[in-house]
Amino acid sequence: MELRQRLTPQVGTKVTQKVSVVLAQTMHLLSLSLDDLTAEVEAALAQHPSLEITPERRCPSCGRRLPAEGPCPLCRPPLGRDALEPIVFLADPADFRPPPPTPTEVEDRLLPEETFFAQSTTLAEYVLRQIAPELRPDERPIAAYLLTHLDDDGLLTLSPAEAALHARASLRRVRRVLRLIQQADPPGVGAASPQEAMLIQLRLLAETQHPVPPKASEAVQLGLNLLQPSRVSELARRLGIRQSEARGLLDFIRANLNPYPARAAWGDLHQGQEEPWLPHLRPDIVFSLHNGDPNGPLVVEVFAPGLRLRVNPTFRHTTAQVDDHHRAEWQQEIQQATLLLKSLRQRHHTLVRLARLLAREQRDFILRGPRHLRPMTRAAVARRLEVHESTVSRAVSHKTAQLPNGRLIPLSDFFDRSLPARAALKALIASESRPLSDTQLAHLLSQEMGRRIARRTVAKYRAMEGIPPAYLRQPLHKYRP
DNA sequence: CTATGGCACGGATT
DNA sequence: AATCCGTGCCATAG
């Protein structure tokens, strides 16, 4: 109840200034993504001398880092209550462990298929073998030169002009060879940049009659930075499409394109710290099964930076002993630091409550997939959590969750009414024996969903998923779920 | 005539 | 107040 007041931005008539400052800061922090928040916390730590990091505290049995106080929620045996009550706790972001790549995700990637080069050969040899038949004898040295200058990602950072110079060949020749290389497997190899690699892959997909959503190449041309879940709205705006379509587009790109042609999967290499791709690798929330038991409770970790931060008590005590002039400064410093911590805790608290609610209400969705989402609105959640709806909005935006199957989804998926229908639609189309028209699909889908879904809506969903219209669909083609 | 995509409207959501 | 979403209407292509 006191909580409610603090979280509710309706400015009462007599709200003290202090409270509104906390509020503003809490709101700000709440809407940040995990990465942005981490940066902010680090900045604050550097800026505020009164902040310190408390010694690490680990759970004796499971070894996790724990917050400054309290028992380890995971290792405390579930109380006698409802066995399915989710176990929710704050975790240190450093404890995040990426899920093992699910087998389907790797094999679904339609690019390398089974022919990816064996570990024994080098990338250069592998590509050379493919293009050798096309090469004229005098072009071999050029190819060799280019191929040996591919970087670990399969990209060619060298400019054609440079290569021409070193290989003593005409620019024209070099270009020709380069084109050959770029048509080889792995798709996108020899591109000058991740962006170019993806464009080449798109072209290849189109040439092999694979369905490519419209605007895909425009999206890629806008730059990798915009291809993040957290920037969907900007992407949609720049492309002049709906946000939901942009999300579908993003899914398509992430599923089918590989900015680093030489890497089979993105998940397997973590050395590259400055990975511009998938900046949201760290989710804000992880849902998992307790001991892998599908009938057990859900375990919900909410990753929260700054858990071990506190105001240095010595700093506080010393304040009393300095002269008046400095005391004011110090007091202000302490006040600001305290405020920050308070806001941080508030943010974490809100996120935890939201996560718990989601785990309770959407267990089926989390465990069994999009088709089991029970659509809800932010407003309804706000009522149940007794916070303002804008608070829920902020808590949801720029956040991602990792599901037990390893998939990373934006938290906003929980509020996407169309998700179940789209999933069902995909399933329908994937299992169709001959292409079904939108009207037919609308009919089937309506039955399946138990509510009417207009033909026009089916068309939209199709577009979102990057599925071409019936007349372009071959019975042979399958679409990845 | 059928299947689709573009546009725009009204109501819901943020 | 701004944005998003589902849908109906209409034009176009085959």
Side-chain angles (χ1 to χ4, degrees):
Chain A
M1 120 134 35
E2 173 209 15
L3 177 73
R4 179 181 187 173
Q5 279 171 1
R6 267 191 285 158
L7 286 176
T8 309
Q10 303 155 339
V11 183
T13 43
K14 287 167 194 163
V15 187
T16 68
Q17 229 175 5
K18 195 171 165 185
V19 170
S20 71
V21 173
V22 182
L23 239 164
Q25 194 170 12
T26 306
M27 290 303 179
H28 170 63
L29 294 184
L30 185 58
S31 60
L32 293 181
S33 71
L34 183 55
D35 289 333
D36 290 346
L37 182 71
T38 307
E40 192 125 332
V41 168
E42 274 164 17
L45 185 59
Q47 188 190 338
H48 290 288
S50 64
L51 283 181
E52 68 169 3
I53 305 178
T54 57
E56 196 167 88
R57 217 166 61 89
R58 285 179 181 269
C59 169
S61 49
C62 74
R64 292 172 176 285
R65 290 180 185 77
L66 297 179
E69 296 152 16
C72 175
L74 194 58
C75 295
R76 184 185 54 196
L79 304 175
R81 295 174 297 182
D82 179 4
L84 289 185
E85 180 64 11
I87 304 170
V88 186
F89 61 101
L90 287 174
D92 192 302
D95 273 343
F96 172 68
R97 58 238 163 335
T102 55
T104 55
E105 240 172 325
V106 179
E107 66 194 48
D108 272 359
R109 207 140 295 146
L110 21 117
L111 302 177
E113 305 251 287
E114 79 290 347
T115 62
F116 207 71
F117 53 93
Q119 291 90 335
S120 50
T121 30
T122 66
L123 177 62
E125 286 173 42
Y126 175 73
V127 176
L128 184 59
R129 205 162 299 155
Q130 295 174 68
I131 64 172
E134 310 278 335
L135 286 178
R136 297 165 24 177
D138 57 329
E139 286 171 340
R140 288 190 142 258
I142 309 178
Y145 183 83
L146 290 176
L147 288 173
T148 49
H149 283 81
L150 292 175
D151 66 15
D152 291 344
D153 295 328
L155 300 176
L156 189 71
T157 45
L158 199 73
S159 82
E162 248 178 296
L165 201 64
H166 287 103
R168 307 215 180 92
S170 74
L171 194 52
R172 210 182 140 73
R173 273 284 147 79
V174 173
R175 289 231 170 89
R176 189 184 112 82
V177 175
L178 189 54
R179 208 166 39 240
L180 281 175
I181 292 176
Q182 289 174 349
Q183 284 165 5
D185 186 86
V189 67
S193 65
Q195 197 173 28
E196 197 189 306
M198 293 164 77
L199 288 173
I200 293 174
Q201 289 160 12
L202 275 177
R203 227 186 41 228
L204 252 42
L205 282 179
E207 281 169 11
T208 53
Q209 304 292 309
H210 232 100
V212 172
K215 305 252 185 193
S217 52
E218 282 97 321
V220 172
Q221 270 158 9
L222 286 177
L224 288 186
N225 287 341
L226 260 119
L227 300 179
Q228 306 176 20
S230 59
R231 300 181 69 177
V232 184
S233 46
E234 193 181 345
L235 182 67
R237 196 165 42 72
R238 300 269 293 270
L239 291 175
I241 59 178
R242 283 152 208 277
Q243 210 169 66
S244 45
E245 281 178 74
R247 205 135 42 79
L249 190 57
L250 219 58
D251 286 344
F252 172 85
I253 290 175
R254 288 181 44 174
N256 295 310
L257 304 186
N258 184 345
Y260 310 107
R263 302 188 200 173
W266 313 326
D268 57 359
L269 291 178
H270 293 288
Q271 306 88 309
Q273 290 256 325
E274 69 301 322
E275 193 107 339
W277 193 242
L278 294 188
H280 255 302
L281 227 49
R282 285 192 313 172
D284 298 79
I285 300 177
V286 169
F287 297 102
S288 54
L289 281 168
H290 193 40
N291 302 328
D293 173 12
N295 297 315
L298 278 175
V299 174
V300 186
E301 294 166 83
V302 176
F303 289 107
L307 285 181
R308 286 160 48 211
L309 245 43
R310 67 168 181 186
V311 174
N312 187 334
T314 336
F315 196 100
R316 202 191 288 273
H317 294 142
T318 331
T319 307
Q321 298 161 18
V322 292
D323 59 84
D324 289 355
H325 178 64
H326 285 90
R327 191 182 309 152
E329 259 176 43
W330 285 35
Q331 277 171 345
Q332 198 197 358
E333 155 66 26
I334 287 184
Q335 202 183 343
Q336 282 177 0
T338 313
L339 218 60
L340 176 82
L341 293 189
K342 220 168 165 176
S343 306
L344 256 184
R345 272 202 296 276
Q346 193 54 250
R347 173 197 144 108
H348 298 160
H349 181 69
T350 308
L351 238 41
V352 163
R353 297 183 65 212
L354 174 65
R356 172 174 288 124
L357 184 76
L358 292 178
R360 273 192 196 136
E361 297 293 312
Q362 302 288 359
R363 185 186 163 91
D364 279 350
F365 167 58
I366 292 167
L367 293 179
R368 302 169 57 190
R371 299 178 65 167
H372 300 89
L373 175 72
R374 291 168 45 197
M376 49 183 181
T377 67
R378 292 161 170 81
V381 171
R383 278 196 300 279
R384 294 198 44 188
L385 293 183
E386 302 186 287
V387 298
H388 195 270
E389 24 189 283
S390 74
T391 304
V392 177
S393 278
R394 290 179 223 261
V396 168
S397 67
H398 307 302
K399 312 290 189 300
T400 54
Q402 181 184 297
L403 304 181
N405 65 14
R407 278 250 152 78
L408 209 60
I409 62 163
L411 226 48
S412 55
D413 271 12
F414 282 93
F415 303 90
D416 186 340
R417 272 193 299 167
S418 68
L419 211 62
R422 269 157 47 205
L425 177 68
K426 267 196 289 191
L428 273 175
I429 294 181
S431 64
E432 72 189 358
S433 50
R434 75 191 151 78
L436 298 170
S437 75
D438 285 353
T439 316
Q440 293 171 305
L441 287 170
H443 209 78
L444 292 173
L445 200 54
S446 299
Q447 271 182 274
E448 189 137 340
M449 293 277 100
R451 74 186 156 92
R452 197 182 118 68
I453 291 174
R455 181 233 107 207
R456 197 61 192 77
T457 308
V458 170
K460 292 272 190 221
Y461 288 174
R462 255 199 317 101
M464 285 184 205
E465 305 294 345
I467 301 173
Y471 64 86
L472 287 181
R473 285 198 310 263
Q474 296 303 317
L476 302 177
H477 275 289
K478 282 194 314 211
Y479 300 95
R480 50 185 316 288

